[in-house]
Amino acid sequence: MKNLLLPLLAILGLLVSAQNTLLAEPPKIDQIIDTLHAAKEAKDPVPLLEKARGELSNFKPAGNTAGMGRKKSAGIKAAAHDDKHDAMEAIGDAIDVAKKGGDATPKITHAIALVHKSGDGKN
């Protein structure tokens, strides 16, 4: 029985480490902002805006809460989630304008500012 335990533990360890390497890292705010800047310059910004919205939906805002109490930390985390929600709405507005053939540049610029705000303290 003891002879089987060691190989099983080794296999379990390999599975756990393989799972950690296979899981994709969530997108960084810088990547999302780069995508939005590319959308500002693009002739058809809709695909890039949709890509940025998808990347932002996978982003987990945390806010910088190191060394804070529980209540203050919870408030900062809640604000970071609100900022992410606002940024998602701004990207959605930019997509709507671009799909209608309008100039989405001001909306994209606004979205970039909100994405920056949602990522404050994360990177």
Side-chain angles (χ1 to χ4, degrees):
M1 185 70 172
K2 287 183 180 180
N3 291 340
L4 291 177
L5 185 59
L6 187 59
L8 287 176
L9 288 175
I11 291 171
L12 181 63
L14 288 173
L15 288 175
V16 169
S17 65
Q19 179 185 8
N20 289 339
T21 57
L22 292 176
L23 294 175
E25 181 180 330
K28 303 271 190 232
I29 280 295
D30 295 336
Q31 293 170 332
I32 299 166
I33 292 170
D34 290 344
T35 303
L36 289 171
H37 278 294
K40 273 176 64 172
E41 305 299 323
K43 193 170 189 172
D44 179 20
V46 174
L48 290 170
L49 290 169
E50 289 174 344
K51 177 182 176 188
R53 184 170 53 182
E55 290 173 344
L56 185 59
S57 70
N58 292 328
F59 177 71
K60 307 257 186 291
N64 190 359
T65 60
M68 294 182 186
R70 243 183 31 211
K71 286 184 181 181
K72 189 171 186 178
S73 175
I76 289 174
K77 287 180 182 180
H81 283 281
D82 289 346
D83 293 339
K84 175 186 170 180
H85 178 72
D86 293 344
M88 293 285 290
E89 283 184 359
I91 293 172
D93 291 344
I95 290 171
D96 291 342
V97 169
K99 283 184 176 180
K100 292 177 183 173
D103 181 19
T105 304
K107 297 283 186 184
I108 296 171
T109 302
H110 180 65
I112 290 170
L114 291 173
V115 170
H116 268 293
K117 187 177 176 190
S118 73
D120 285 347
K122 180 68 175 181
N123 290 342

